Amino acid sequence: MPGTVLLLAASPVGRGCLVDAASVLPVLAAVPPAVLAGTDTANVVELADPLEPQAVLTRLRAAAAAPGPLTVYVTGQLQLDRRERLPHLALARTTPSTVRYTALPWHWIREELRLRPSGATTLLLDLHADQETWEWLRAHPLDSGRNNAVYGRIAPPPSRRTVAAPAYMRAVATILRSGHRPPPDQLHQQALDRCASDGGASGADLVLAAPGPVAGDPHAVIAAAVRSGRHGDADALAARHERAAALALGPASEDALHWAEVRADLAMFAGDPVRSCRAWLAVAEARLRAGQEPGTPPVEAAVDRAHHQWGLIRDGARARELGSALAALRGRVPGRREGALDHVQRELSRLQTQG
């Protein structure tokens, strides 16, 4: 099965730039696609200093939907948004005051990759952090998803008026240009050794080395059922895990809500936007009832996904029913996209006129 490779290099333009992220892309692009992916054949998507987080999300979502192995190479810098203090990958237009709107929330990466099969996704990361984000990371490990193998490093801020080089990713690219991709853990260690010998690593770097889930993870079984078109079997297995988590830990526990989210995504894969929208609305309401703030990533993600699925509903009566619930929820959870509530209200008005 062909592999998929996403090369993402991003950093702000101007004084806020900490690392010359895009400089590594020519070196990576010189590596044959099959070597980048570790497969016989591969498709490569390259994003160099993208401007819009939604554009990156679209490419990431398409890569995550590919059935074969996926390798994501990310070079750039992390910054916290001022409102929620959550890590974002800074993009070309990002400034400290606009992180929330111009940078890519790191949890978007985690969310888009979470239903991929066990062992099918590898992230190789060379990230730098500003001082505020560096202090945050020392108390909050970067969450890249429990289903993914993650290797790389996060470097502290460079000296003032200095733009750092992506030494780790350059070392990865140099190793791969030999024409052979070792297993990710070996590639990672070889890159760290090369960085150390070349003086490109700081003793303070946070080293990332997570091999991913073990075989037999239920997510892998569910993903295999989806790939083979057995959507009912996939939902039944997820429902069993949801019931077990609710009985053991309570229906508002993170484990139970996780499986409710899995079922919402499974409905999407099955082409049932009504069921998916309804499930995402229920997840959002459950999180709010549990005391989670409207601006927290899991709540925003649930409402955003409900909104997306609602837009795919072709049954007017169901669209009106769920649109009313979505509008009420959007009033509490406006999300990051400007005009989301206005969009629901306009579409709902149009549907009511047609009905």
Side-chain angles (χ1 to χ4, degrees):
M1 189 174 290
T4 300
V5 174
L6 179 61
L7 305 178
L8 172 56
S11 55
V13 174
R15 291 187 304 170
C17 181
L18 300 179
V19 58
D20 185 8
S23 67
V24 77
L25 284 177
V27 190
L28 282 170
V31 178
V35 178
L36 286 171
T39 55
D40 291 337
T41 60
N43 302 307
V44 177
V45 177
E46 181 178 313
L47 293 173
D49 283 327
L51 300 177
E52 301 291 341
Q54 289 292 334
V56 180
L57 178 62
T58 298
R59 297 296 185 90
L60 175 64
R61 186 167 289 165
L70 170 64
T71 307
V72 182
Y73 297 80
V74 183
T75 308
Q77 68 188 61
L78 295 174
Q79 293 180 225
L80 300 180
D81 71 296
R82 290 180 174 176
R83 178 173 164 184
E84 297 173 60
R85 293 183 55 79
L86 294 173
H88 291 60
L89 182 71
L91 303 183
R93 294 174 176 168
T94 300
T95 66
S97 62
T98 65
V99 170
R100 180 172 170 82
Y101 304 102
T102 62
L104 181 77
W106 193 259
H107 63 267
W108 284 9
I109 297 176
R110 180 192 70 220
E111 287 296 312
E112 292 305 320
L113 300 179
R114 67 191 175 91
L115 269 188
R116 285 185 52 78
S118 174
T121 308
T122 302
L123 293 105
L124 290 162
L125 311 177
D126 189 351
L127 302 171
H128 285 67
D130 62 17
Q131 190 60 46
E132 180 186 27
T133 310
W134 182 252
E135 295 298 330
W136 185 91
L137 287 166
R138 297 179 71 172
H140 305 84
L142 189 67
D143 183 358
S144 301
R146 56 181 168 185
N147 287 346
N148 310 316
V150 182
Y151 296 97
R153 62 97 181 243
I154 305 175
S159 303
R160 292 189 64 145
R161 299 180 183 175
T162 300
V163 176
Y168 173 86
M169 196 63 76
R170 188 174 291 275
V172 167
T174 302
I175 294 165
L176 294 178
R177 287 185 70 178
S178 68
H180 168 66
R181 186 178 114 159
D185 57 337
Q186 296 179 26
L187 174 62
H188 168 67
Q189 191 56 55
Q190 290 174 24
L192 289 178
D193 293 344
R194 183 179 286 268
C195 275
S197 64
D198 292 346
S202 161
D205 287 356
L206 294 174
V207 176
L208 309 172
V214 298
D217 186 287
H219 297 83
V221 180
I222 289 170
V226 170
R227 288 198 306 275
S228 63
R230 294 181 290 110
H231 297 287
D233 292 345
D235 183 65
L237 179 56
R240 287 202 297 273
H241 283 283
E242 182 184 5
R243 285 194 298 271
L247 285 171
L249 304 169
S253 66
E254 273 303 314
D255 273 6
L257 289 172
H258 166 73
W259 286 110
E261 292 174 341
V262 169
R263 296 187 68 196
D265 270 344
L266 290 174
M268 175 193 69
F269 291 135
D272 189 344
V274 171
R275 182 159 57 92
S276 183
C277 177
R278 197 185 302 278
W280 280 117
L281 290 172
V283 167
E285 291 285 2
R287 289 191 176 279
L288 290 168
R289 284 197 304 272
Q292 297 184 23
E293 293 296 323
T296 54
V299 175
E300 283 190 341
V303 179
D304 287 346
R305 286 170 180 248
H307 193 155
H308 178 262
Q309 290 298 297
W310 180 68
L312 302 176
I313 297 172
R314 297 294 171 256
D315 182 313
R318 294 293 181 87
R320 286 190 292 273
E321 171 204 348
L322 293 173
S324 297
L326 177 60
L329 199 52
R330 269 295 185 210
R332 301 165 65 191
V333 187
R336 293 167 181 254
R337 301 189 70 172
E338 289 187 27
L341 176 57
D342 290 341
H343 173 263
V344 177
Q345 290 173 333
R346 283 196 311 272
E347 288 299 302
L348 194 54
S349 177
R350 182 182 63 81
L351 287 166
Q352 289 167 341
T353 300
Q354 290 178 348

